[in-house]
Amino acid sequence: MQSIIFDYAVFLLLIALSFGVLIYSKLSGPKEQTKADYVFASKGSVSMGAMLLSIARGFLGVKVFLGYPSEFYYRGSGMWETLYGMSLAFPLVLYFFLPVYFNLGITSVYQYLDMRFKSRLVRRLASGTYFIRSILNLGVTVFTPCVALKTVMGLPYWFSIILITSIAIVFTLLGGLRSAILADAVQSLVMIGCSIVIIVHGFFIAKGPLNVFEVTKERNRLDFFNFDLDPTIRVTTVSATLGQLFMSLSMFGCQQNFVQRYFSMDSQKQVEKALWLTIPLMIFLFSLSWIVGMVIFTVYADCDPRALGYISEIDEIIPFYIEDKFYFLPGFMGLVLASLFNSGLSILVSNLNSISTVAWEDFVSQIPVFKGASEKNQLICIKSLSVITGFIVMGIAFIVAQSSGVIDASQLMTSATSGPLLGVFVLAMFFPSTNWKGAAAGMISSHLMTLFIVIGSLSLAKEPEYLPVSTEGCTNTTFSPHIEPIFDVQYSQYKMSFINKTHDDLGVSSVLSSPEVKSSSKDDILTMLYSITYMYYSLLGTFVTVFVGVIVSYMTGKNKADTNNYIQID
């Protein structure tokens, strides 16, 4: 009981400290906030280290701590190989996208499309794509810490979702981008510290890192360099690399929240340095979460808590593990929960800032009544849009609560919206003969195709596929004393009702696994199309945008104004 009180105290204290960071940022910043101060962090007001952590957190999100360990535990290491595509994207952004943006000196990255194609329609299609993608991903961000709060504190999803979004709205109204960047940096450091503690302690329980490696390898969790070209397999080395490359290019090169961070640095040279340094930082943060997953799987290799009914969702494995194995360390659970809560909060705040800026610049400011608004009124409008967007994200989070895991939800939403956005920027930068008609037709065609495949995929009603787990080594003393034990008779009945098959090659006599998923008929073209893994959606969407864009531009004739407005890359 005392430990629980201590956890709640730490949880509340750290949330109070996050408010302290906001107040400090407010007091140490400009006396009177301008639109530029709100949209961008003042030049030189944020350190390189804080910016690096903020960029990495903006991409990895809260799922790096909660989602990836559970992904490894129940599905293996396949998603780790998205690092290949992620790392390849940075040099391309550096040498092809950044020079264009810095030469133009724009506020919204989608202004470039307006300047290139002289078309408000193309600009608004791109802005709308970014808006949709962002609110969908923010729904995942908000929901992720709610999983831990429900598992440990018993807080219902609806309460946690409302709490996080409400506080984020307050933060957005009071702070600006600088506050969000500082909060990102602080939460990243706390999360790194918690991960290291879990890993070191886990190595001790699991009898060393060598045993962790042996067990995870023996139970088929380490599956690297799978070059199977079957596009219906959820993730392989090929789909992870190609899919993530296109997703990362779309995010780091065409997404407003990242470009805002670039413009908050002193110079283009500093941005280049920051992005090169972000690669090893991403690899470190990403790998840390997978090692956490390896450790937890090794500890529970012969007695899976989900198979026994202790947890119901795969993403609950991290909070359950901490509750089970860190009972001796009062306050640690509170620290982890507060870190998840505050991380979701800071990411939501920084993205609300970016989304509201795009909504103002590309949509609302074009309404006659808002044209010619003073800078003060523009700031009021942007903050009002942040509030509205916050409530929309709240609704999306309730929908995400019905999904089969934060990694699936996040990757699906990102991949499905990446293609049209990246494709139109590729048309603008590398195809000087294309015009606004081709760009608009390409984006619309790409969206329709992706939507068609996503809806069809959901209609297949496939069961999520998980790797086998074991309960062969379970005893009433497997878990900590404060975890309610399963009595011998109950356990025996439970195990007999769920044993599916024998896996002699895994070294265990009985293994629990998810229901087998029947492969779809290859003769049915539509079924095969619907079965394509979401990892390829970004690649397909980009190809369709470019292909249709070039064809339509050719058919409608090269527009002289478009060609004259083509912006060369220095």
Side-chain angles (χ1 to χ4, degrees), residues 72 194-216 287-299 321 325-326 328:
F72 178 88
C194 291
S195 297
I196 291 173
V197 170
I198 293 171
I199 290 170
V200 172
H201 179 259
F203 281 160
F204 176 76
I205 299 177
K207 301 176 183 177
L210 185 60
N211 189 54
V212 169
F213 177 79
E214 296 276 348
V215 171
T216 51
S287 300
L288 205 63
S289 64
W290 292 100
I291 297 173
V292 170
M294 292 174 69
V295 165
I296 296 176
F297 176 77
T298 303
V299 172
Y321 178 83
K325 301 303 179 185
F326 283 89
F328 67 91

Side-chain angles (χ1 to χ4, degrees), residues 15 39 58 77 130 143 164 192 245 371 387 512:
I15 291 177
V39 174
S77 61
Y130 164 69
F143 172 70
I164 292 174
I192 290 170
L245 172 61
K371 286 186 176 180
V387 174
L512 300 180

Side-chain angles (χ1 to χ4, degrees), residues 176-409:
L177 184 62
R178 179 172 180 264
S179 302
I181 291 173
L182 291 175
D184 275 345
V186 171
Q187 298 310 323
S188 296
L189 292 174
V190 173
M191 201 73 81
I192 290 170
C194 291
S195 297
I196 291 173
V197 170
I198 293 171
I199 290 170
V200 172
H201 179 259
F203 281 160
F204 176 76
I205 299 177
K207 301 176 183 177
L210 185 60
N211 189 54
V212 169
F213 177 79
E214 296 276 348
V215 171
T216 51
K217 183 180 180 182
E218 178 185 312
R219 305 295 176 91
N220 292 336
R221 258 56 187 182
L222 300 179
D223 182 23
F224 296 104
F225 307 117
N226 177 3
F227 293 101
D228 193 323
L229 297 179
D230 183 352
T232 64
I233 299 176
R234 178 174 174 264
V235 59
T236 63
T237 303
V238 178
S239 65
T241 303
L242 288 178
Q244 191 62 57
L245 172 61
F246 281 78
M247 280 188 268
S248 297
L249 281 174
S250 180
M251 293 185 74
F252 291 116
C254 314
Q255 194 158 295
Q256 177 69 11
N257 58 321
F258 289 106
V259 176
Q260 277 183 240
R261 283 163 171 75
Y262 306 155
F263 285 145
S264 297
M265 298 188 203
D266 288 332
S267 64
Q268 185 178 334
K269 288 290 183 185
Q270 190 180 34
V271 178
E272 291 174 3
K273 182 180 178 182
L275 288 183
W276 278 118
L277 291 173
T278 300
I279 297 175
L281 178 62
M282 288 280 226
I283 293 172
F284 170 73
L285 292 175
F286 206 64
S287 300
L288 205 63
S289 64
W290 292 100
I291 297 173
V292 170
M294 292 174 69
V295 165
I296 296 176
F297 176 77
T298 303
V299 172
Y300 291 144
D302 293 318
C303 190
D304 176 56
R306 181 171 173 270
L308 295 178
Y310 281 114
I311 60 176
S312 57
E313 304 294 336
I314 64 173
D315 294 317
E316 295 175 3
I317 191 66
I318 285 279
F320 177 82
Y321 178 83
I322 296 172
E323 185 181 22
D324 178 29
K325 301 303 179 185
F326 283 89
Y327 67 94
F328 67 91
L329 193 60
F332 186 70
M333 174 57 78
L335 177 67
V336 171
L337 292 178
S339 181
L340 284 169
F341 186 93
N342 286 333
S343 294
L345 193 62
S346 63
I347 293 171
L348 179 55
V349 170
S350 63
N351 278 273
L352 287 180
N353 179 299
S354 303
I355 295 171
S356 58
T357 300
V358 169
W360 166 257
E361 294 289 344
D362 296 344
F363 294 98
V364 180
S365 66
Q366 305 306 311
I367 299 173
V369 70
F370 291 105
K371 286 186 176 180
S374 66
E375 185 171 301
K376 182 178 179 181
N377 288 334
Q378 288 183 42
L379 180 58
I380 292 172
C381 289
I382 291 174
K383 289 188 174 184
S384 300
L385 289 169
S386 297
V387 174
I388 295 170
T389 306
F391 284 112
I392 295 173
V393 170
M394 185 188 296
I396 297 295
F398 282 109
I399 297 173
V400 174
Q402 310 302 318
S403 68
S404 63
V406 298
I407 297 301
D408 267 355

Side-chain angles (χ1 to χ4, degrees), residues 104-118:
L104 296 177
I106 51 182
T107 304
S108 165
V109 67
Y110 310 113
Q111 284 178 256
Y112 165 64
L113 298 176
D114 194 355
M115 297 169 69
R116 162 63 176 87
F117 292 112
K118 289 193 178 296

Side-chain angles (χ1 to χ4, degrees), residues 502-557:
T502 300
H503 283 260
D504 295 329
D505 58 317
L506 294 179
V508 291
S509 59
S510 60
V511 178
L512 300 180
S513 64
S514 62
E516 291 187 14
V517 181
K518 295 181 179 179
S519 59
S520 54
S521 172
K522 301 300 180 184
D523 297 329
D524 188 338
I525 296 176
L526 275 181
T527 301
M528 188 169 69
L529 181 65
Y530 296 154
S531 300
I532 292 175
T533 173
Y534 54 71
M535 296 299 295
Y536 284 123
Y537 290 173
S538 56
L539 187 155
L540 289 172
T542 302
F543 174 78
V544 170
T545 304
V546 173
F547 180 77
V548 173
V550 171
I551 296 297
V552 172
S553 294
Y554 177 78
M555 292 174 63
T556 57

Side-chain angles (χ1 to χ4, degrees), residues 35-174:
K35 176 186 171 185
D37 293 329
Y38 183 78
V39 174
F40 305 107
S42 304
K43 301 287 186 183
S45 65
V46 179
S47 68
M48 174 70 78
M51 190 64 75
L52 289 174
L53 289 169
S54 181
I55 292 173
R57 291 286 295 167
F59 180 79
L60 296 174
V62 187
K63 63 181 181 286
V64 72
F65 185 79
L66 199 67
Y68 287 125
S70 64
E71 167 75 16
F72 178 88
Y73 189 112
Y74 289 104
R75 285 169 165 163
S77 61
M79 280 290 178
W80 186 90
E81 296 187 283
T82 56
L83 268 178
Y84 310 151
M86 198 185 304
S87 300
L88 289 171
F90 282 100
L92 297 177
V93 171
L94 277 170
Y95 294 114
F96 293 107
F97 290 83
L98 276 184
V100 174
Y101 301 151
F102 270 87
N103 288 340
L104 296 177
I106 51 182
T107 304
S108 165
V109 67
Y110 310 113
Q111 284 178 256
Y112 165 64
L113 298 176
D114 194 355
M115 297 169 69
R116 162 63 176 87
F117 292 112
K118 289 193 178 296
S119 169
R120 282 281 175 183
L121 174 61
V122 174
R123 176 176 175 176
R124 287 170 182 167
L125 283 172
S127 300
T129 301
Y130 164 69
F131 185 88
I132 293 170
R133 169 203 277 177
S134 295
I135 61 172
L136 290 175
N137 274 309
L138 286 177
V140 179
T141 297
V142 170
F143 172 70
T144 302
C146 298
V147 175
L149 294 173
K150 177 178 179 290
T151 305
V152 178
M153 294 184 171
L155 296 178
Y157 288 147
W158 66 266
F159 179 82
S160 301
I161 289 171
I162 292 173
L163 182 64
I164 292 174
T165 49
S166 299
I167 296 176
I169 288 170
V170 173
F171 272 43
T172 305
L173 293 175
L174 295 178

